[in-house]
């Protein structure tokens, strides 16, 4: 079955979420949100999902405080961060480019990143744009650090980085990314050229990097049905275009 | 305070905000007092210090563009699916407003300290973020009950005013917040709490056990003004949705100084409508 780029990326993220108990999703994260909802469907409802900004897919009753309290207690297994810049050490910048605070480019701000990156065991970095301006050697501002000194209280951190071209996994000991797979239609050489930081290759080098497998027909059917409908509540603009065959009720949302 | 003191008009309500005040406002998804925000702009509020609890969108962007804000403490200002917040970004880059960057739970913790009447609150995480390099008001302390365990201490924040909208209030000045519990925290932590309400009912919210659990008692509430559709163009959960079409118009017009001025004329000062 043919699939959209968004459906591919959703499936890449979802493969890293199987079996988790509670997945939380921040604001402006439609692809991670879709992956979390797909995981919930596949788990028969055993995986809990909390999407910020959603009423239907968020059971918190203690306001905006609850996600953060939950995370510090170890009740959140996975979360997602993006970044205006992401560097090879897993540092994330959501603040801006240039001298702080009157930056040349200013983004929205750190949101919960500085906190959740240290407290949620599995944080998946997601950024569709894979260019040297996004994937830099060193970020201009560390909103959230990829690693910490050994005596720092830290229960989590970067697990993977998903881009429009490939999947990197983060090696916590080496504090570096390793190229895990390259999406269909892209090459290792292209990924290297588009990445501003150095990264590791598997044993066997570039030739040994596999192609990212496509989403299965079963997953695509779930995505275009239940998941598309649920995502539309929080991300109507995304749901209307992301799925190759969106259901009629999504198109009209 | 008697009920006649607490219930007032929208203009009287925003008159309680003084130039230079530290004003706390809630995140999107919680009810944002947009009608009151427009009234603040019309009254010519100046030099406000805005605390977003912990983030904001069109409300902060509009107040900044209208020149009401001298300083902002925020974990993030963006228009969500509609992209970056243009007035906020421009003002920060130009140095027109001072910015104190923070992270969501740090705002909550600092307000919780105020709520409890204690000078600071410790919080996990954050260590190693560049936020700590730029926050000379934050302190890294030793966990007094642990060993070699550094933890961040955040000073209490006590806003002069908290401003938000609620679905329901009563004549006594009790306000119903439901599951948006950070509004309770904001009211507890602030010197003054001023609120617009979708509807004001005669019967006391405290007379109904189910409503009482989601109610901030009038003890903490300085003023309530009735404002139907008071969140528009933002939505109010369970009542009305975001007006996405209008928010798109805002996002497009706010990209330029001229466009933003035109937006204010048309939708805040209503000059276009008045001339017709």
């Amino acid at each position: 079955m043919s699939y959209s780029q968004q459906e591919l990326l959703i499936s890449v993220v979802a493969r890293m979420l199987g079996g988790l108990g509670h997945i939380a999703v921040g604001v402006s994260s439609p692809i991670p949100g879709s992956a979390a909802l797909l995981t919930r469907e596949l788990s028969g409802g055993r995986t809990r999902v909390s999407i910020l900004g959603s009423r239907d897919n968020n059971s918190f009753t203690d306001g905006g405080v609850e996600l953060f309290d939950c995370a510090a207690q170890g009740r959140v297994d996975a979360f997602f961060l993006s970044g205006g810049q992401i560097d090879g050490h897993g540092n994330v910048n959501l603040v801006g480019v240039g001298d702080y605070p009157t930056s040349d480019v200013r983004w929205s701000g750190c949101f919960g990143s500085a906190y959740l990156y240290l407290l949620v065991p599995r944080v998946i970095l997601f950024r569709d744009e894979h260019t040297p301006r996004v994937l830099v050697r060193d970020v201009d501002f560390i909103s959230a650090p990829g690693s910490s000194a050994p005596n720092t209280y830290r229960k989590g951190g970067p697990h993977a980085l998903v881009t429009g071209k490939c999947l990197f996994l983060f090696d916590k000991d080496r504090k570096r990314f390793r190229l895990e797979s390259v999406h269909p239609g892209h090459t290792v050489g292209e990924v290297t050229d588009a990445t501003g930081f150095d990264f590791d290759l598997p044993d066997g080098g570039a030739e040994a990097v596999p192609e990212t497998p496509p989403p299965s027909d079963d997953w695509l059917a779930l995505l275009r049905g239940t998941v598309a409908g649920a995502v539309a509540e929080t991300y109507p603009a995304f749901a209307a275009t992301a799925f190759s065959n969106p259901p009629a009720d999504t198109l009209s949302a | 305070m008697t009920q006649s003191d607490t219930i007032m008009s929208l203009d009287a309500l925003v008159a309680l905000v003084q130039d230079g005040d530290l004003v706390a406002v809630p995140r999107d998804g919680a009810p944002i007092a947009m009608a009151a925000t427009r009234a603040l702009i019309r009254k010519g509020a100046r030099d406000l210090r805005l605390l977003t609890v912990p983030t904001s969108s069109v409300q902060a962007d509009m107040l900044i563009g209208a020149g009401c804000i001298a300083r902002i403490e925020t974990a993030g200002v963006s228009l969500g699916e509609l992209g970056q917040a243009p007035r906020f970004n421009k003002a920060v880059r130009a140095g027109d407003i001072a910015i104190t960057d923070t992270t969501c739970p740090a705002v909550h913790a600092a307000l919780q300290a105020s709520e409890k009447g204690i000078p600071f609150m410790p919080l996990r995480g954050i260590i190693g973020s560049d936020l700590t390099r730029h926050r000379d008001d934050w302190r890294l302390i030793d966990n007094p009950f642990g060993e070699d365990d550094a933890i961040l201490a955040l000073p209490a924040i006590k806003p002069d005013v908290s401003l938000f909208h609620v679905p329901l209030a009563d004549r006594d000045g009790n306000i119903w917040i439901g599951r948006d519990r950070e509004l309770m925290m904001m009211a507890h932590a602030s010197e003054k709490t001023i609120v617009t309400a979708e509807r004001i009912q005669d019967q006391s919210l405290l007379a109904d056990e189910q409503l009482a659990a989601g109610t901030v008692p009038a003890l903490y509430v300085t003023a309530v003004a009735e404002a139907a559709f008071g969140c528009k163009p933002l939505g109010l959960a369970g009542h009305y949705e975001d007006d996405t079409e209008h928010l798109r118009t805002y996002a497009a017009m706010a990209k330029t100084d001229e466009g933003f001025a035109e937006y204010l004329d048309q939708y805040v000062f209503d000059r276009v409508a008045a001339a017709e």
Side-chain angles (χ1 to χ4, degrees):
Chain A
M1 205 185 293
S2 67
Y3 52 88
S4 69
Q5 168 80 354
Q6 289 95 329
E7 288 168 337
L8 174 73
L9 298 180
I10 292 166
S11 70
V12 172
V13 175
R15 285 189 199 108
M16 296 184 277
L17 301 176
L20 297 182
H22 183 193
I23 303 165
V25 183
V27 294
S28 305
S29 309
I31 285 177
S34 303
L37 291 169
L38 174 61
T39 304
R40 186 176 68 188
E41 286 304 308
L42 293 166
S43 77
R46 281 186 298 280
T47 296
R48 293 181 189 277
V49 173
S50 301
I51 298 183
L52 295 194
S54 169
R55 287 276 166 178
D56 295 349
N57 296 294
N58 183 335
S59 61
F60 290 147
T61 54
D62 197 21
V65 180
E66 190 167 355
L67 166 69
F68 303 103
D69 288 352
C70 230
Q73 296 158 19
R75 292 180 192 270
V76 178
D77 300 308
F79 191 73
F80 308 90
L81 289 176
S82 191
Q85 291 178 330
I86 297 168
D87 73 22
H89 311 291
N91 297 313
V92 171
N93 175 5
L94 290 161
V95 164
V97 177
D99 287 337
Y100 181 83
T102 51
S103 325
D104 305 324
V105 176
R106 171 71 206 197
W107 298 310
S108 45
C110 294
F111 290 96
S113 65
Y115 177 88
L116 295 170
Y117 212 27
L118 276 70
L119 298 174
V120 176
R122 183 168 292 202
V123 178
I124 295 169
L125 303 173
F126 178 82
R127 183 71 201 253
D128 195 1
E129 180 183 333
H130 187 141
T131 61
R133 69 168 197 161
V134 172
L135 304 184
V136 297
R137 183 177 299 274
D138 293 294
V139 295
D140 288 29
F141 186 103
I142 299 175
S143 292
S147 60
S148 301
N151 61 344
T152 303
Y153 183 93
R154 182 153 198 165
K155 299 294 176 190
H159 175 77
L161 166 60
V162 179
T163 75
K165 295 185 193 295
C166 71
L167 165 66
F168 292 108
L169 290 185
F170 191 73
D171 184 324
K172 286 185 173 59
D173 296 326
R174 289 172 56 78
K175 299 177 183 174
R176 280 163 66 89
F177 288 104
R178 189 182 72 247
L179 184 59
E180 184 70 11
S181 71
V182 174
H183 303 337
H186 300 282
T187 64
V188 174
E190 185 192 343
V191 166
T192 305
D193 289 345
T195 307
F197 56 74
D198 292 335
F199 55 86
D200 293 334
L201 293 170
D203 294 341
E207 314 244 309
V209 178
E211 185 176 84
T212 306
S216 68
D217 289 356
D218 289 352
W219 282 26
L220 287 171
L222 278 174
L223 281 175
R224 292 166 189 178
T226 326
V227 172
V231 167
E233 182 235 357
T234 316
Y235 301 110
F238 173 82
T241 59
F243 303 101
S244 292
N245 295 305
D249 59 336
T250 311
L251 279 173
S252 63
Chain B
M1 199 172 261
T2 67
Q3 69 176 72
S4 56
D5 292 329
T6 310
I7 311 295
M8 60 184 69
S9 72
L10 186 58
D11 286 341
L13 181 109
V14 296
L16 294 169
V17 179
Q18 288 165 1
D19 288 354
D21 272 355
L22 176 62
V23 180
V25 293
R27 73 194 158 104
D28 270 31
I32 314 287
M34 286 306 295
T37 300
R38 289 185 289 271
L40 265 180
I41 294 172
R42 285 194 297 271
K43 105 172 174 115
R46 284 293 174 271
D47 298 324
L48 300 180
R49 294 166 295 143
L50 193 67
L51 173 71
T52 67
V53 184
T55 57
S56 185
S57 70
V58 64
Q59 180 182 34
D61 201 59
M62 202 184 285
L63 284 168
I64 290 166
C68 304
I69 306 296
R71 168 177 288 278
I72 186 169
E73 176 163 354
T74 187
V77 181
S78 95
L79 300 184
E81 260 198 312
L82 298 178
Q84 299 285 329
R87 295 292 100 192
F88 162 77
N89 287 19
K90 180 175 185 241
V92 172
R93 282 201 319 274
D96 290 342
I97 59 168
I99 182 156
T100 305
D101 275 286
T102 186
T103 183
C104 302
V107 177
H108 299 140
L111 290 171
Q112 284 168 329
S114 264
E115 225 182 350
K116 295 180 193 304
I118 56 178
F120 67 89
M121 186 72 87
L123 190 68
R124 285 299 188 190
I126 308 175
I127 296 170
S129 164
D130 279 345
L131 284 174
T132 57
R133 293 201 298 124
H134 295 281
R135 294 292 305 241
D136 52 17
D137 56 334
W138 290 357
R139 298 280 184 277
L140 207 53
I141 61 171
D142 288 324
N143 169 5
F145 303 100
E147 235 173 84
D148 191 22
D149 181 19
I151 189 165
L152 205 60
L154 314 167
I157 300 177
K158 188 175 185 63
D160 296 307
V161 185
S162 271
L163 168 66
F164 52 84
H165 187 76
V166 294
L168 187 61
D170 69 23
R171 293 278 153 210
D172 299 327
N174 302 306
I175 56 173
W176 188 80
I177 57 154
R179 65 177 106 179
D180 292 314
R181 304 287 292 188
E182 65 260 62
L183 304 179
M184 180 86 78
M185 173 183 75
M186 290 168 68
H188 289 173
S190 301
E191 188 69 33
K192 285 186 268 193
T193 294
I194 67 174
V195 172
T196 53
E198 204 64 21
R199 191 163 69 79
I200 300 178
Q201 71 175 27
D202 290 330
Q203 198 201 0
S204 171
L205 292 163
L206 299 175
D208 179 329
E209 204 54 39
Q210 290 185 37
L211 288 176
T215 295
V216 182
L219 171 63
Y220 304 96
V221 180
T222 313
V224 181
E226 194 164 63
F229 300 104
C231 297
K232 276 193 170 283
L234 295 172
L236 176 62
H239 292 256
Y240 44 91
E241 301 288 315
D242 281 3
D243 182 346
T244 309
E245 209 48 49
H246 184 97
L247 292 170
R248 270 185 220 291
T249 301
Y250 176 84
M253 292 180 83
K255 283 205 166 95
T256 64
D257 293 352
E258 301 72 30
F260 181 75
E262 206 179 306
Y263 179 91
L264 286 185
D265 259 5
Q266 197 167 338
Y267 297 107
V268 176
F269 292 100
D270 221 14
R271 284 185 190 128
V272 175
E276 275 168 1

